[in-house]
Amino acid sequence: MTSLTISAVLPSLRPPQCKPDHQVCQQANSGQLAILYISLLLAALGAGGIRPCVVAFGADQFDETDPEQKTKTWNYFNWYYFCMGASILVAVTVVVYIQDNIGWGWGLGIPTIAMFLSIVAFVMGYKLYRNLDPAGSPFTRLVQVSVAAFKKRNLRMVSDPKLLYENEEMDASFSMAGKLLHTKHMK
């Protein structure tokens, strides 16, 4: 976000504005395009890295075994998705209006400042968060499931799901109250 904002503010990092009397505008040079593409790449990597983690990190703050906190988990998800929707609404209305009528520097600068403030708030509250230790490598579990599924691909499905293997202790990190949810889909 910072590099995008800087590229919009500094005249040397963007092509000059088109003049109303000229039909052909000056194109961006290779250096200006490189700054733009690197900025967009960094923004995409950052968004791709934070979005899936925010939901999981927020859900980790609640103890699923406590009935009172279980309802708070649902409140968290409701507020999270409401705030995501509201922020998208603000982004496609207010921020676009600012970009069109005031300038790209302000239009990109306001979200950059908001992102900086959110990072400061996250770091200041770090000691208050509940940090759970990772429950092993997800890649190991993925390979284990893939190998087991391949080996058992020709087996018939059991009639009673209670006959299937379950390990409450080992499965607790990714199951509902220690129980795997069995379905007939994708057997």
Side-chain angles (χ1 to χ4, degrees):
M1 290 296 297
T2 302
S3 59
L4 266 176
T5 303
I6 290 171
S7 70
V9 171
L10 295 179
S12 61
L13 297 179
R14 59 182 161 79
Q17 234 178 348
C18 295
K19 295 179 180 159
D21 56 340
H22 290 90
Q23 289 186 354
V24 179
C25 297
Q26 183 178 345
Q27 291 185 348
N29 63 37
S30 58
Q32 293 167 336
L33 284 175
I35 295 289
L36 173 66
Y37 291 145
I38 289 170
S39 300
L40 291 174
L41 173 69
L42 291 172
L45 287 173
I50 196 170
R51 287 202 179 119
C53 296
V54 167
V55 177
F57 183 73
D60 283 347
Q61 302 308 305
F62 303 99
D63 183 9
E64 285 293 313
T65 60
D66 182 7
E68 185 179 318
Q69 286 196 12
K70 201 169 197 167
T71 60
K72 289 181 181 180
T73 305
W74 286 106
N75 286 339
Y76 163 75
F77 283 112
N78 287 336
W79 278 107
Y80 173 79
Y81 286 109
F82 173 77
C83 290
M84 285 298 291
S87 65
I88 290 169
L89 179 66
V90 169
V92 297
T93 54
V94 175
V95 173
V96 171
Y97 177 82
I98 291 170
Q99 288 172 343
D100 286 345
N101 295 305
I102 298 173
W104 280 88
W106 281 105
L108 290 169
I110 291 171
T112 302
I113 292 167
M115 181 61 90
F116 175 76
L117 293 175
S118 70
I119 291 169
V120 168
F122 175 77
V123 171
M124 287 177 58
Y126 185 77
K127 291 186 179 195
L128 302 174
Y129 300 131
R130 181 176 158 209
N131 294 309
L132 300 179
D133 292 330
S137 170
F139 298 111
T140 303
R141 299 289 290 192
L142 181 66
V143 171
Q144 286 174 336
V145 168
S146 300
V147 169
F150 182 76
K151 285 181 178 178
K152 298 176 181 182
R153 69 187 181 280
N154 294 323
L155 292 178
R156 294 176 46 89
M157 186 72 170
V158 295
S159 58
D160 185 11
K162 292 178 183 169
L163 297 173
L164 296 171
Y165 171 79
E166 287 186 357
N167 185 329
E168 288 187 24
E169 194 174 306
M170 202 166 105
D171 299 337
S173 63
F174 57 86
S175 62
M176 297 296 291
K179 295 284 183 192
L180 292 174
L181 304 175
H182 298 289
T183 67
K184 293 189 185 292
H185 301 292
M186 297 185 356
K187 64 176 183 165

